[in-house]
């Protein structure tokens, strides 16, 4: 039987292992990140544990730093690359159904709007944080969102708009999801430079994120509800 001291020592070692992994993600050091992920796998850590306690924990810290203005887009890109490479190291050891995922997100820029740089960043941050993301692209019509929800059964639908003239389309997409009896099955989040929390409330969205870092936290929070 394992004693309390051994248990505490084992737990501390495990936490410190993940703290190195988390540090590698924050530093955007993908070589170290893959090395530490492989080490943890070889030592028998479960992929789910590595993803949740290591990779996602690291991405949340990075996301918070981005939202706080301490990190910039290149920092986020490097961190996301580190996590993506670590996930690639984990993938061959698991079947598709065993692959840990935080949740599924369908994302797109609304119809009439071709701005996709911010949406692409948000999609990449969410992938880096462990979400499975289905990116519908830009200028996405209402019915394509509806079809994608039927096809992928996401937990979250994310809409981006950069134009004041296309923001109202978010409301129509919510209405289209409602008409198709799909709205109750998903949480809807919105973002983009002209979008605000007030606007999100007005159109009945479940959440608003001002940036990619905040989108990670928001999606995680909505899935915990
Ligand atoms: Co356009 N454009 N543009 N443009 N463009 C803006 C948005 C504008 C503010 C410029 C200006 O006048 N100062 C203005 C909009 C004015 C308004 O509506 N109030 C404008 C205009 C008018 C237009 C055209 C109409 C110009 C014309 O043709 N007369 C036209 C529209 C075309 C169309 O969509 N139908 C147009 C075209 C273009 C380009 C094609 C040239 C190009 C887009 C290229 C592309 O995306 N592939 C472009 C660009 C680059 C811009 C600016 C300069 C930069 C946008 C950008 O990529 N920012 C922009 C001015 C500006 O913002 N300074 C402008 C960087 C990006 C990382 O930030 O997209 O805000 P952002 O994303 C952030 C957050 O908003 C948030 O997270 C991201 C990362 O942190 N976020 C989300 C975004 N989506 C989210 C979703 C979420 C959560 C968070 O959850 C789902």
């Amino acid at each position: 039987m394992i004693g309390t001291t051994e248990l505490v020592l084992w737990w501390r070692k495990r936490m410190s292992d993940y703290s190195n992994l988390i540090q590698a993600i924050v530093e955007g050091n993908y070589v170290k990140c893959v090395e530490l992920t492989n080490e943890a796998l070889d030592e028998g850590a479960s992929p789910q544990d590595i993803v949740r306690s290591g990779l996602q924990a690291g991405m949340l810290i990075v996301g918070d730093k981005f939202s706080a203005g301490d990190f910039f887009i290149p920092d986020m890109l490097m961190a996301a690359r580190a996590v993506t490479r670590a996930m690639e190291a984990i993938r061959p050891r698991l079947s598709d159904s065993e692959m840990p995922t935080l949740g599924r997100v369908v994302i797109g820029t609304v119809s009439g709007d071709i701005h996709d740089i911010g949406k692409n960043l948000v999609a990449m941050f969410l992938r880096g944080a462990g979400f499975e993301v289905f990116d519908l692209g830009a200028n996405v019509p209402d019915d394509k969102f509806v079809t994608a929800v039927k096809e992928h059964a996401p937990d979250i639908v994310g809409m981006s708009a950069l134009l004041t003239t296309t923001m109202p389309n978010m409301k129509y997409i919510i209405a289209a999801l409602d008409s198709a009896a799909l709205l109750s099955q998903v949480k809807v989040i919105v973002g983009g430079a002209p979008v605000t929390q007030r606007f999100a409330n007005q159109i009945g969205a479940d959440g608003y994120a001002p940036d990619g870092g905040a989108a990670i936290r928001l999606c995680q929070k909505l899935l915990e509800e």
Side-chain angles (χ1 to χ4, degrees):
M1 185 163 149
I2 188 166
T4 313
T5 315
E6 285 100 324
L7 195 63
V8 169
L9 287 173
W10 172 83
W11 182 250
R12 276 208 189 128
K13 179 178 181 302
R14 190 164 152 271
M15 291 309 285
S16 77
D17 284 348
Y18 287 136
S19 72
N20 286 340
L21 182 56
I22 290 167
Q23 187 60 26
I25 294 163
V26 173
E27 287 168 2
N29 185 340
Y30 73 89
V31 176
K32 190 92 190 148
C33 189
V34 171
E35 199 180 291
L36 290 169
T37 299
N38 280 326
E39 259 175 35
L41 287 167
D42 291 343
E43 284 169 12
S46 87
Q48 281 81 0
D49 202 31
I50 298 171
V51 171
R52 283 187 188 277
S53 310
L55 305 182
Q56 287 166 1
M59 240 0 233
L60 278 175
I61 294 173
V62 172
D64 287 348
K65 284 182 181 290
F66 182 80
S67 295
D70 297 332
F71 267 23
F72 299 97
I73 289 171
D75 303 305
M76 287 299 284
L77 292 176
M78 283 165 65
R81 178 178 62 174
V83 172
T84 305
R85 295 286 172 88
M87 292 292 270
E88 283 165 8
I90 291 173
R91 188 170 285 281
R93 309 208 187 198
L94 294 171
S95 68
D96 277 353
S97 60
E98 289 170 326
M99 198 63 192
T101 168
L102 262 192
R104 290 183 155 197
V105 182
V106 157
I107 194 168
T109 304
V110 299
S111 56
D113 199 326
I114 62 169
H115 295 88
D116 65 357
I117 297 169
K119 182 268 298 166
N120 292 346
L121 278 173
V122 173
M124 202 194 56
F125 289 4
L126 291 176
R127 278 199 187 102
F131 288 91
E132 191 178 1
V133 178
F134 300 90
D135 187 348
L136 307 182
N139 189 19
V140 181
D142 308 5
D143 60 341
K144 200 169 165 190
F145 274 100
V146 171
T147 308
V149 170
K150 285 181 184 160
E151 190 181 338
H152 302 299
D155 304 289
I156 293 170
V157 172
M159 295 184 262
S160 179
L162 261 286
L163 299 171
T164 45
T165 49
T166 57
M167 276 166 65
N169 295 342
M170 292 177 158
K171 191 176 171 181
Y172 302 135
I173 292 163
I174 291 176
L177 290 171
D178 199 16
S179 298
L182 294 168
L183 194 57
S184 58
Q185 297 169 31
V186 294
K187 301 280 185 189
V188 176
I189 68 163
V190 293
V195 179
T196 59
Q197 181 65 59
R198 189 156 175 251
F199 177 75
N201 296 343
Q202 276 168 5
I203 64 169
D206 297 292
Y208 155 75
D211 58 55
I216 298 175
R217 282 261 178 225
L218 174 63
C219 289
Q220 208 179 39
K221 182 180 138 260
L222 288 172
L223 289 186
E224 281 164 10
E225 279 175 5

